[in-house]
Amino acid sequence: MSRQPERKPTPLPPRLPSVGGSSILHLTLAVFVFISGITNSVAQQFSFAHYGQDEGLRNLDVFGLVEDDEGLLWLATENGLFRYDGAQFHRFGPKDGIGETLVLGLHKDASGRIWVATNDHLYFFDGSRFLPAPLGSSTVQFGVEEPINSIDPAHILFLDHGSLMLVTQRGTGKGAAGWTTAPFFRLPEVDANPALGKLHSIFVSKDRLSGYDLWLGCGQAVCRIRGSLKTQEPQHVDVFSDAQGIPADSWTCFFRDREGTLWARSRRYVRVLARGEAVFRSRDIPSSDGLPAYRGSGILTIAEDPQGAVLTQTNRGLARWEGSSWRIFDSSNGVDFKDVSSILFDRHGAPWFSTRGQGVVRWRGYREAENWTIAQGLHDDVVWPIFRDSHHDLWIADQFQINRLNKRGERLATPRTFQNAPILHGTSFAESPDGSLWIFTLDGEVYRTDAAIRRIVFRSKLPSLARAFTDSSHRIWILSRNGLYVVRNPDQPFIEKIAASLISRDAFADAAESPDHDLWFLADNHLYRLSSKSGRFSKVELDPDETRGQMRNIAAAADGTLWIGGGIPALLHLRVAGDRATMVNRVTSPDLASSDVQIVRIDGRGWLWIGTDLGVNVFDGRQWRLLTRRDGLISNDTDEGAFLADTDGSVWIGANGGAIHLLQPEHLFSSAPLDVRFTSADLGTQPLSLTSTTLTPWQDAPLDLAFSSLNFAREGSVHFRYRLTGMEFDWSETTSHVLHYPAIAPGDYRFELQAVDPDQQKQSAILSLRFTIRPPWWRTRAMYLLLGILSFVASILVWHWRERRLLHRQHMLRQLVAQRTRELEAEKAELVAAREALSHQATRDALTGIWNRAAIFDILTREMDRSRRTGVMFAVVLADIDHFKQINDTLGHLAGDSILRDASRRMLHNIRPYDFIGRYGGEEFLIVLPGLPLLDPHMRLNQLLQSISREPFEVENRSVHVTSSFGVAWSHPSIVVAEDLIRRADEALYRAKARGRNCIVFHEEQQGRLI
């Protein structure tokens, strides 16, 4: 349809409209009604969760609030339509089909479809986006307090300039084309009853089998139209005014409760019409100033809670009809918001309030928890003992005074007896059989009143106290930090100290009585038992590792076991046999919120209550639950020993913040399931189906998932376990409501999600989202098959080509190997010759060709080693050419060299094959003669000596007679160094020279003999 011309929106009403004065009569009546009609002006303190801009709600002026069939919350605001999924507020805009930002109204029809009214358009949600409903050619302008309603899903009602309009669905066509809009009343009907053209509100009631009742605020009265469900044509118009209990006013709110009673409300009046009655009765909310009950800028609204009580708003906050009177909740009860525009109880029974300027508010622990603070009469918000006496009076001691709850349960007050003498740091209460009250303080003060609690009749001073305990025999046990005291007859105020040396000086903290009437007394580091049979105290042996720290609280279970906690590593569950305690169980995280245990108590159900600095844990024998501020508690930090299991089954707990009253603890272990759902799943730019398997082509895109839990009261406690099968095997955990996976490869995937609430030890069913990413064409099976065939053919061709290439290469390699072999053999021969030449050069004397000095020296060393091993001696000869210098001087050095060569040759020819001769230096020769006989060496040595002197040497055509001298030494085991042996031969040579040369001289015993 074409869009209407742009025009200025209807201005919104001010949030605080001015109201005129009232008459004296009205004021008087109002004061009377105020005094008689309000249950209590000061009641308990309650906790509220606020949702505003920090939580993602960008606009705080909220006109309406609706819960859809899935449990999602829809909010109409001054700057857009929002939907809350438990994790975030999603804003709907032009891309979702809504072009305007000012959203004035919301409605859910019987089919669950959501309708939205903006300034001049009406939209309905088709599950994915909003579609406009055709409003005809006339100009439509919605107002803030002009609601939308419906007869059935095919007939929608709205107000346009005070006239009732009907939007009708024709046939089964979808979208805007399937709807038409027309006035509900024909012109003659409006002329006959002009009030039908001045309507303020719409309410449809279908409690009649054959039709419906349409209730309208018409003019200054209330009109009822009876219509047919078949024709939707009005049958009769009834006008309710003063005669029918409807004063002249603008009636803008209607509601029908579960009993069938119709509620009608204006800003001044509240009236009800019971089923079958014809006259409205007054249920006006009392006003203290005679002015209208509501003067704020909110939108009048009424809702019914799960218990059947009706709630509406007031100037001071909220009002709840308790069956006979209104109960007011205002700032003294923690209601810190005003200008309520709608009230909604969600599927879990939690009340939500939308406001004009303060966003959305949720009541925590509604009808489950209430709190008592300074606003309700406490003198301080730190609460210690809580006690119910035999008169059913409730007593609470804070740090500064004793307080008693009045009979109507409205307010805490200090009895006159204690008003002039404040009792500080009260730690325990007790009661005598006659009804008198005992009070004990941390500082050791003890008080006892008379039965009427009008005066204090006994006062005493003891050491610092922990608390007092009354057993089943009505004895009052006083646990001090310096021993144990008892009042055996509470009617006779005599305090006796237990003199047993075992316990007389211990610092006591708590006491308990087991079903067999044994009494258990807990000290900081010890546990004592007073046997009911023997009447004697005994000390119970505990594990010192488990009780490190300070034990402070004890409770005895019905099965005779004990629970102990305090400043120790864990909460201990013990069984005592004889004088020894054995461990049944030790409780730590996650079952226990904190090891700093302040309260250990068991109620009448047998449930275990553990108060910590992080909340209250409750154990019913099977499961643990944790209560915190999100459950309506004024504080998570409980105070030591501040617990009362009341006679009505409720529980009182003291905390740093006030006294907590848990009204219905049995609801803690309800079987309400934990909700989890996907809110969106996108693979790149393509959304995935949340209900069926999605087939999507591969696009190298990331996977983004968003999910939530609609258990709004568990916000902050719910965690999520997840895994993406096909990519992950193990479960992961997160507190986030979104997940991002990088590019996902082709394949079949299943994303599994589960919500877990560790505080309540609950988990949801596993939710699955399946999708398949088809591979690209180059990764399909056909492509893989084709590639396989081509690869096979190519491999065969390559194999043949390689075979031929390898054969050719093998032939070439053989030729190269043969050529290289020949080259290597030639090189080897050259290397051998070179090595031999080098070896000869390194070991042979260059002039004579015999062993050089280094070589003959090595040979001598080797022979010495061999002689030592074998014991065979050898001779060493140092031979010298006589007068060789004279030869060099007369004949020249060349002649000398020639003589040295010939002399070497002659001696070499006269030694044995295994003898060795070498040039030792100059004209000296070193001869090594292995195995030369020691007793008769002359023949061999003379032969060598004569080989030189027997024949002359021919030098340059001249004959030269040359002689030589020999110095001989034999090896000996005592000679280990070659130089010593050569030195002996040299000494012998010296003597041979001295004796005239051309002779042989032996070292040692042969020295004196000449050859």
Side-chain angles (χ1 to χ4, degrees):
M1 59 177 287
S2 60
R3 185 176 176 84
Q4 298 292 334
E6 294 293 334
R7 52 190 176 80
K8 186 176 181 181
T10 304
L12 299 179
R15 294 182 183 173
L16 293 173
S18 59
V19 180
S22 301
S23 64
I24 299 297
L25 176 61
H26 285 167
L27 180 60
T28 304
L29 291 174
V31 171
F32 173 77
V33 173
F34 174 73
I35 295 174
S36 61
I38 301 181
T39 326
N40 53 291
S41 58
V42 179
Q44 297 85 347
Q45 194 83 3
F46 301 98
S47 177
F48 298 89
H50 293 260
Y51 299 80
Q53 292 173 341
D54 290 342
E55 290 72 32
L57 182 60
R58 289 161 50 184
N59 187 269
L60 303 182
D61 195 358
V62 184
F63 300 112
L65 181 64
V66 167
E67 181 184 37
D68 65 18
D69 289 346
E70 294 184 8
L72 302 170
L73 299 182
W74 296 78
L75 295 82
T77 78
E78 192 177 31
N79 188 21
L81 174 68
F82 291 85
R83 184 176 66 187
Y84 183 58
D85 60 10
Q88 61 182 350
F89 288 89
H90 171 74
R91 186 177 186 274
F92 290 80
K95 66 181 181 61
D96 305 297
I98 299 181
E100 298 88 346
T101 58
L102 179 60
V103 180
L104 297 172
L106 281 171
H107 173 67
K108 183 180 76 170
D109 64 28
S111 69
R113 184 168 42 205
I114 300 297
W115 293 81
V116 173
T118 64
N119 188 65
D120 53 4
H121 279 77
L122 182 65
Y123 299 91
F124 62 90
F125 191 56
D126 70 353
S128 60
R129 62 183 288 107
F130 282 92
L131 302 175
L135 300 181
S137 58
S138 61
T139 300
V140 176
Q141 193 167 22
F142 290 95
V144 172
E145 296 187 0
E146 295 179 343
I148 316 166
N149 215 308
S150 59
I151 299 172
D152 56 32
H155 298 83
I156 311 300
L157 299 170
F158 68 90
L159 294 178
D160 176 26
H161 295 85
S163 298
L164 184 61
M165 305 296 291
L166 176 65
V167 183
T168 306
Q169 185 177 23
R170 302 297 182 185
T172 59
K174 296 183 179 180
W179 297 84
T180 60
T181 302
F184 185 86
F185 296 112
R186 293 184 293 269
L187 188 58
E189 294 172 328
V190 176
D191 292 339
N193 192 342
L196 296 180
K198 301 176 182 179
L199 304 179
H200 313 298
S201 57
I202 316 166
F203 179 76
V204 178
S205 173
K206 291 182 286 188
D207 57 336
R208 295 189 297 115
L209 295 178
S210 59
Y212 64 88
D213 287 344
L214 180 61
W215 294 89
L216 305 169
C218 52
Q220 294 289 298
V222 172
C223 296
R224 179 179 62 189
I225 312 297
R226 292 189 176 271
S228 170
L229 291 174
K230 295 181 180 179
T231 63
Q232 277 78 45
E233 294 293 334
Q235 298 177 352
H236 184 69
V237 178
D238 295 317
V239 179
F240 293 81
S241 55
D242 284 330
Q244 292 78 31
I246 296 294
D249 207 345
S250 294
W251 297 87
T252 58
C253 179
F254 295 94
F255 176 78
R256 187 176 291 278
D257 63 25
R258 66 185 62 178
E259 300 297 329
T261 300
L262 181 74
W263 295 69
R265 171 132 199 227
S266 68
R267 289 185 174 266
R268 186 181 295 273
Y269 307 107
V270 178
R271 299 300 160 96
V272 295
L273 181 65
R275 187 187 298 274
E277 295 183 357
V279 177
F280 283 84
R281 288 178 292 166
S282 173
R283 282 193 185 165
D284 295 344
I285 300 173
S287 175
S288 59
D289 53 10
L291 298 177
Y294 187 69
R295 305 185 298 277
S297 60
I299 302 171
L300 290 178
T301 181
I302 299 175
E304 185 178 19
D305 69 14
Q307 292 75 25
V310 170
L311 270 76
T312 188
Q313 73 265 66
T314 70
N315 285 324
R316 295 187 293 150
L318 303 170
R320 185 172 69 196
W321 179 253
E322 300 285 347
S324 59
S325 60
W326 289 99
R327 182 175 179 180
I328 303 299
F329 305 95
D330 55 21
S331 58
S332 64
N333 311 112
V335 180
D336 55 354
F337 54 92
K338 59 179 181 177
D339 297 330
V340 172
S341 57
S342 62
I343 303 174
L344 168 70
F345 284 88
D346 65 22
R347 59 178 59 190
H348 299 291
W352 293 75
F353 308 93
S354 65
T355 70
R356 297 288 309 279
Q358 293 177 276
V360 178
V361 181
R362 176 173 54 83
W363 192 326
R364 292 178 175 144
Y366 179 74
R367 285 192 179 270
E368 300 289 343
E370 56 187 22
N371 305 286
W372 300 79
T373 67
I374 294 175
Q376 285 74 43
L378 289 176
H379 292 75
D380 187 72
D381 59 4
V382 177
V383 170
W384 287 348
I386 305 174
F387 179 73
R388 178 79 71 178
D389 64 20
S390 59
H391 304 293
H392 209 67
D393 286 336
L394 184 79
W395 296 83
I396 299 177
D398 57 45
Q399 286 197 105
F400 299 150
Q401 190 51 283
I402 303 300
N403 309 281
R404 181 173 60 185
L405 187 64
N406 62 15
K407 295 295 184 181
R408 297 176 61 184
E410 300 169 350
R411 186 171 178 82
L412 292 162
T414 301
R416 184 173 299 176
T417 307
F418 309 108
Q419 287 180 357
N420 297 326
I423 298 180
L424 304 177
H425 307 142
T427 186
S428 293
F429 293 97
E431 187 178 13
S432 299
D434 65 355
S436 61
L437 188 68
W438 290 78
I439 303 166
F440 305 87
T441 73
L442 187 66
D443 300 325
E445 295 177 344
V446 181
Y447 302 90
R448 179 179 179 269
T449 69
D450 62 357
I453 315 180
R454 292 179 179 173
R455 61 192 181 94
I456 296 174
V457 297
F458 175 79
R459 179 177 296 169
S460 181
K461 184 71 168 64
L462 298 176
S464 176
L465 301 181
R467 59 175 58 90
F469 170 74
T470 304
D471 64 19
S472 58
S473 299
H474 303 292
R475 292 174 295 185
I476 302 175
W477 297 87
I478 306 170
L479 291 83
S480 83
R481 307 304 292 168
N482 186 22
L484 184 64
Y485 297 80
V486 63
V487 179
R488 299 188 183 276
N489 183 0
D491 288 337
Q492 300 295 325
F494 174 72
I495 301 176
E496 170 191 349
K497 183 174 183 179
I498 303 299
S501 59
L502 184 66
I503 59 176
S504 61
R505 288 183 171 273
D506 214 338
F508 287 90
D510 200 5
E513 183 174 6
S514 55
D516 60 0
H517 301 297
D518 282 356
L519 298 182
W520 303 88
F521 296 94
L522 189 70
D524 290 350
N525 306 110
H526 304 108
L527 175 63
Y528 302 95
R529 173 168 57 187
L530 176 58
S531 173
S532 59
K533 297 178 180 179
S534 67
R536 295 182 178 178
F537 284 94
S538 61
K539 183 179 178 181
V540 178
E541 183 179 350
L542 301 173
D543 186 344
D545 292 333
E546 294 291 349
T547 56
R548 294 193 313 271
Q550 183 186 39
M551 300 183 294
R552 298 199 300 266
N553 296 278
I554 185 171
D559 61 358
T561 58
L562 302 176
W563 292 88
I564 295 177
I568 57 178
L571 175 69
L572 305 182
H573 189 194
L574 305 175
R575 187 180 300 279
V576 178
D579 290 333
R580 184 178 180 85
T582 58
M583 185 75 66
V584 178
N585 188 21
R586 65 191 308 274
V587 184
T588 57
S589 176
D591 292 332
L592 195 65
S594 169
S595 61
D596 183 14
V597 174
Q598 303 291 331
I599 298 169
V600 180
R601 290 293 182 264
I602 295 176
D603 66 9
R605 305 174 183 85
W607 292 4
L608 178 67
W609 293 78
I610 308 297
T612 74
D613 57 340
L614 297 179
V616 179
N617 284 107
V618 189
F619 182 57
D620 69 347
R622 300 186 306 270
Q623 295 177 304
W624 287 90
R625 293 286 188 268
L626 175 65
L627 298 175
T628 62
R629 287 177 58 88
R630 67 172 59 92
D631 300 292
L633 275 58
I634 194 69
S635 171
N636 291 339
D637 189 8
T638 59
D639 291 327
E640 187 168 327
F643 179 87
L644 171 67
D646 216 341
T647 55
D648 61 356
S650 64
V651 168
W652 293 80
I653 297 173
N656 284 339
I660 303 165
H661 190 194
L662 300 175
L663 303 174
Q664 302 180 81
E666 62 274 8
H667 292 172
L668 290 174
F669 294 92
S670 66
S671 58
L674 195 61
D675 173 85
V676 65
R677 63 190 60 214
F678 293 108
T679 55
S680 67
D682 298 288
L683 185 65
T685 58
Q686 179 179 351
L688 302 180
S689 173
L690 304 181
T691 56
S692 60
T693 301
T694 303
L695 297 176
T696 178
W698 178 77
Q699 50 183 301
D700 191 24
L703 174 65
D704 291 289
L705 299 157
F707 41 84
S708 184
S709 172
L710 297 187
N711 297 81
F712 300 119
R714 306 306 306 158
E715 290 175 2
S717 175
V718 175
H719 299 176
F720 298 97
R721 296 176 65 242
Y722 68 92
R723 66 178 177 183
L724 182 60
T725 59
M727 178 181 291
E728 301 168 330
F729 295 100
D730 297 329
W731 290 86
S732 301
E733 188 167 315
T734 181
T735 57
S736 175
H737 292 74
V738 295
L739 285 176
H740 175 82
Y741 287 89
I744 305 295
D748 297 324
Y749 296 94
R750 182 176 73 253
F751 182 78
E752 296 179 324
L753 179 68
Q754 183 180 43
V756 179
D757 187 348
D759 290 356
Q760 293 194 342
Q761 293 190 348
K762 287 185 178 182
Q763 56 188 23
S764 71
I766 296 177
L767 196 62
S768 295
L769 184 148
R770 299 174 182 268
F771 61 96
T772 297
I773 301 177
R774 291 193 294 264
W777 63 268
W778 64 87
R779 295 181 64 178
T780 60
R781 291 185 178 180
M783 190 62 186
Y784 285 145
L785 179 61
L786 177 61
L787 289 175
I789 294 173
L790 292 176
S791 298
F792 179 72
V793 173
S795 63
I796 293 176
L797 295 176
V798 169
W799 181 76
H800 283 293
W801 174 78
R802 286 197 63 189
E803 185 179 25
R804 289 195 297 271
R805 184 176 178 84
L806 287 173
L807 290 174
H808 176 69
R809 184 174 179 82
Q810 185 178 11
H811 177 70
M812 293 183 63
L813 287 174
R814 285 175 180 172
Q815 292 179 342
L816 292 172
V817 167
Q819 179 181 352
R820 184 58 180 163
T821 301
R822 292 191 295 270
E823 293 174 352
L824 289 174
E825 289 176 350
E827 291 176 358
K828 179 180 179 182
E830 293 176 358
L831 288 173
V832 169
R835 186 170 62 215
E836 291 177 352
L838 289 173
S839 176
H840 186 274
Q841 183 179 0
T843 59
R844 299 292 177 169
D845 182 62
L847 177 64
T848 62
I850 62 176
W851 300 109
N852 59 18
R853 179 186 177 94
I856 194 64
F857 197 91
D858 290 341
I859 291 171
L860 175 59
T861 303
R862 186 174 68 246
E863 289 302 320
M864 290 180 70
D865 292 339
R866 180 183 298 174
S867 176
R868 283 193 294 272
R869 290 195 310 270
T870 62
V872 178
M873 299 181 64
F874 67 93
V876 175
V877 179
L878 195 59
D880 183 74
I881 304 298
D882 296 333
H883 303 293
F884 187 74
K885 184 177 183 300
Q886 185 177 354
I887 293 172
N888 282 337
D889 292 342
T890 57
L891 299 178
H893 286 281
L894 292 178
D897 291 345
S898 176
I899 291 172
L900 287 177
R901 282 193 296 270
D902 288 345
S904 299
R905 188 165 45 253
R906 291 179 184 185
M907 286 187 290
L908 188 61
H909 287 143
N910 285 278
I911 63 174
R912 298 169 300 179
Y914 48 84
D915 294 336
F916 305 94
I917 183 171
R919 187 179 178 185
Y920 188 67
E923 69 276 18
E924 291 183 336
F925 297 91
L926 183 64
I927 305 171
V928 180
L929 303 171
L932 185 68
L934 177 64
L935 297 178
D936 190 16
H938 303 84
M939 182 179 65
R940 174 64 58 189
L941 295 176
N942 284 332
Q943 184 180 353
L944 287 174
L945 184 68
Q946 292 173 5
S947 67
I948 296 174
S949 60
R950 182 183 303 121
E951 295 179 2
F953 289 82
E954 298 294 329
V955 180
E956 294 180 355
N957 297 323
R958 292 178 63 183
S959 294
V960 179
H961 183 76
V962 178
T963 63
S964 62
S965 301
F966 284 10
V968 183
W970 262 267
S971 64
H972 191 273
S974 63
I975 302 174
V976 296
V977 180
E979 287 83 352
D980 291 343
L981 191 57
I982 293 173
R983 185 167 50 253
R984 290 187 178 190
D986 187 58
E987 290 175 358
L989 177 61
Y990 178 78
R991 291 185 177 90
K993 293 282 188 180
R995 290 182 181 182
R997 296 181 174 86
N998 195 24
C999 64
I1000 301 172
V1001 176
F1002 298 91
H1003 189 264
E1004 296 180 349
E1005 65 270 17
Q1006 289 86 6
Q1007 288 179 0
R1009 298 170 58 185
L1010 297 176
I1011 304 302

Coordinates of all heavy atoms in Angstrom, one line a residue, residues 257-280:
D257 N -9.8 -11.6 35.8 CA -9.0 -12.5 36.6 C -9.5 -13.9 36.3 O -10.5 -14.2 35.6 CB -8.9 -12.2 38.0 CG -10.2 -12.2 38.8 OD1 -11.1 -13.0 38.3 OD2 -10.4 -11.6 39.8
R258 N -8.8 -14.9 37.0 CA -9.0 -16.3 36.7 C -10.4 -16.7 37.3 O -10.9 -17.8 36.9 CB -7.9 -17.2 37.3 CG -7.8 -17.1 38.8 CD -6.6 -17.9 39.4 NE -5.4 -17.3 38.9 CZ -4.2 -17.8 39.2 NH1 -4.1 -18.8 40.0 NH2 -3.1 -17.2 38.7
E259 N -10.9 -15.9 38.3 CA -12.2 -16.2 38.8 C -13.4 -15.7 38.0 O -14.5 -15.9 38.3 CB -12.3 -15.6 40.3 CG -11.3 -16.2 41.2 CD -11.5 -17.7 41.5 OE1 -12.6 -18.2 41.4 OE2 -10.5 -18.4 41.7
G260 N -13.0 -14.9 36.9 CA -14.0 -14.4 36.1 C -14.5 -13.0 36.4 O -15.4 -12.4 35.8
T261 N -13.8 -12.4 37.5 CA -14.1 -11.1 37.9 C -13.5 -10.0 37.0 O -12.3 -10.1 36.6 CB -13.6 -10.8 39.3 OG1 -14.3 -11.7 40.2 CG2 -13.9 -9.4 39.8
L262 N -14.3 -9.1 36.5 CA -13.8 -8.0 35.7 C -13.4 -6.8 36.5 O -14.1 -6.4 37.4 CB -14.9 -7.5 34.7 CG -14.5 -6.4 33.7 CD1 -13.6 -7.0 32.6 CD2 -15.7 -5.7 33.1
W263 N -12.1 -6.4 36.2 CA -11.6 -5.2 36.9 C -11.6 -4.1 36.0 O -11.2 -4.2 34.8 CB -10.1 -5.5 37.4 CG -10.0 -6.6 38.4 CD1 -10.2 -7.9 38.3 CD2 -9.6 -6.4 39.8 NE1 -10.0 -8.6 39.4 CE2 -9.6 -7.7 40.4 CE3 -9.3 -5.3 40.5 CZ2 -9.3 -7.8 41.7 CZ3 -8.9 -5.5 41.9 CH2 -9.0 -6.7 42.5
A264 N -12.0 -2.9 36.4 CA -12.0 -1.7 35.6 C -11.3 -0.6 36.4 O -11.5 -0.5 37.7 CB -13.4 -1.2 35.3
R265 N -10.5 0.2 35.8 CA -9.6 1.1 36.5 C -9.6 2.5 35.7 O -9.4 2.5 34.5 CB -8.2 0.6 36.7 CG -7.3 1.6 37.2 CD -6.4 1.1 38.4 NE -5.9 2.3 39.1 CZ -4.7 2.4 39.5 NH1 -3.8 1.4 39.3 NH2 -4.3 3.4 40.2
S266 N -9.7 3.5 36.5 CA -9.3 4.9 36.0 C -8.2 5.4 37.0 O -7.8 4.6 37.8 CB -10.6 5.8 36.1 OG -10.9 6.0 37.5
R267 N -7.8 6.6 36.8 CA -6.8 7.1 37.6 C -7.2 7.3 39.1 O -6.4 7.3 40.0 CB -6.2 8.4 37.1 CG -5.4 8.2 35.8 CD -4.8 9.5 35.3 NE -4.0 9.3 34.1 CZ -2.7 9.0 34.2 NH1 -2.1 9.1 35.3 NH2 -2.0 8.8 33.1
R268 N -8.5 7.4 39.3 CA -9.0 7.6 40.6 C -9.6 6.4 41.2 O -9.5 6.2 42.5 CB -10.0 8.8 40.6 CG -10.5 9.2 42.0 CD -11.6 10.3 41.9 NE -11.0 11.5 41.3 CZ -10.4 12.4 42.0 NH1 -10.3 12.3 43.3 NH2 -9.9 13.5 41.4
Y269 N -10.2 5.5 40.4 CA -11.1 4.5 41.0 C -10.6 3.1 40.4 O -10.0 3.0 39.4 CB -12.5 4.6 40.5 CG -13.1 6.0 40.9 CD1 -13.3 6.9 39.9 CD2 -13.4 6.3 42.2 CE1 -13.9 8.2 40.2 CE2 -13.9 7.6 42.5 CZ -14.1 8.5 41.5 OH -14.7 9.7 41.8
V270 N -10.9 2.1 41.3 CA -10.8 0.7 40.9 C -12.1 0.0 41.2 O -12.5 0.0 42.4 CB -9.6 0.0 41.6 CG1 -9.5 -1.5 41.2 CG2 -8.3 0.7 41.3
R271 N -12.7 -0.6 40.2 CA -14.0 -1.3 40.4 C -14.0 -2.7 39.9 O -13.3 -2.9 38.9 CB -15.2 -0.5 39.8 CG -15.3 1.0 40.3 CD -15.6 0.9 41.8 NE -15.3 2.2 42.5 CZ -16.2 3.1 42.8 NH1 -17.5 2.9 42.4 NH2 -15.9 4.2 43.5
V272 N -14.8 -3.6 40.5 CA -14.8 -5.0 40.1 C -16.3 -5.4 39.8 O -17.2 -5.0 40.5 CB -14.1 -5.9 41.1 CG1 -12.7 -5.6 41.2 CG2 -14.8 -5.8 42.4
L273 N -16.4 -6.3 38.8 CA -17.7 -6.8 38.5 C -17.6 -8.3 38.6 O -16.9 -8.9 37.7 CB -18.2 -6.4 37.2 CG -19.6 -6.9 36.7 CD1 -20.7 -6.3 37.6 CD2 -19.9 -6.5 35.3
A274 N -18.2 -8.9 39.6 CA -18.1 -10.4 39.8 C -18.9 -11.1 38.7 O -19.9 -10.5 38.2 CB -18.5 -10.8 41.2
R275 N -18.6 -12.3 38.4 CA -19.3 -13.1 37.5 C -20.8 -13.2 37.9 O -21.1 -13.6 39.1 CB -18.7 -14.5 37.3 CG -19.3 -15.3 36.2 CD -18.8 -16.7 36.2 NE -17.3 -16.7 36.0 CZ -16.8 -16.8 34.8 NH1 -17.5 -16.7 33.7 NH2 -15.5 -16.8 34.6
G276 N -21.7 -12.9 37.0 CA -23.1 -13.0 37.3 C -23.7 -11.8 38.0 O -25.0 -11.8 38.1
E277 N -22.9 -10.8 38.4 CA -23.5 -9.6 39.0 C -23.6 -8.5 38.0 O -23.0 -8.6 36.9 CB -22.5 -9.2 40.1 CG -22.4 -10.1 41.3 CD -21.6 -9.6 42.4 OE1 -21.0 -8.5 42.3 OE2 -21.5 -10.3 43.5
A278 N -24.5 -7.5 38.3 CA -24.8 -6.4 37.4 C -24.2 -5.1 37.9 O -24.3 -4.1 37.1 CB -26.3 -6.3 37.2
V279 N -23.7 -5.0 39.1 CA -23.2 -3.8 39.6 C -21.8 -4.0 40.1 O -21.4 -5.0 40.7 CB -24.1 -3.4 40.9 CG1 -23.5 -2.1 41.5 CG2 -25.5 -3.2 40.4
F280 N -21.0 -3.0 39.7 CA -19.6 -3.0 40.1 C -19.4 -2.6 41.6 O -20.2 -1.8 42.1 CB -18.8 -1.9 39.3 CG -18.5 -2.4 37.9 CD1 -19.4 -2.2 36.8 CD2 -17.2 -3.0 37.6 CE1 -19.1 -2.6 35.6 CE2 -17.0 -3.3 36.3 CZ -17.9 -3.2 35.3

